[in-house]
């Protein structure tokens, strides 16, 4: 099972898995160990979802307009830490 937890899943699949975990925890029929295991899996999935949402937000924010034929113009998103590293190195 630990191999499966390490495999990246799509955002949509992660949300479905989280919903299943919540239902399992709410039904009250799991043992304490099962509940803890499910909770830990949920935390991992939640962190993964937040990371994917953060990446999507960065891609959206990087849109800078559109070309004459209506195609979006984007620029590479540079994280603040990346910018600091460049200024310190110059």
């Amino acid at each position: 099972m630990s191999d499966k937890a390490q495999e990246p899943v799509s955002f949509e699949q992660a949300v479905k898995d989280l919903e299943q975990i919540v239902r399992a925890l709410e039904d009250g029929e799991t043992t304490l160990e099962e509940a803890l295991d499910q909770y830990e899996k949920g935390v991992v999935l939640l962190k993964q979802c937040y990371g994917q949402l953060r990446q999507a937000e960065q891609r959206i924010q990087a849109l800078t307009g559109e070309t004459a034929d209506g195609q979006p113009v984007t620029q590479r998103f540079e994280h603040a830490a990346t910018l600091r590293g460049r200024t310190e190195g110059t």
Side-chain angles (χ1 to χ4, degrees), residues 39-54:
Y39 181 81
E40 288 173 353
K41 289 177 185 177
V43 168
V44 169
L45 288 169
L46 190 59
K47 286 181 181 181
Q48 183 180 7
C49 286
Y50 279 133
Q52 290 172 334
L53 287 172
R54 192 170 30 255

Side-chain angles (χ1 to χ4, degrees), residues 19-33:
E19 289 171 347
Q20 290 176 345
I21 289 170
V22 169
R23 281 194 296 274
L25 291 173
E26 287 178 341
D27 75 9
E29 295 183 19
T30 59
T31 66
L32 178 60
E33 279 303 311

Side-chain angles (χ1 to χ4, degrees), residues 13 31 33 39 47 62 64 77 82 88:
Q13 184 61 51
T31 66
E33 279 303 311
Y39 181 81
K47 286 181 181 181
T64 60
F77 178 83
T82 304
E88 291 172 2

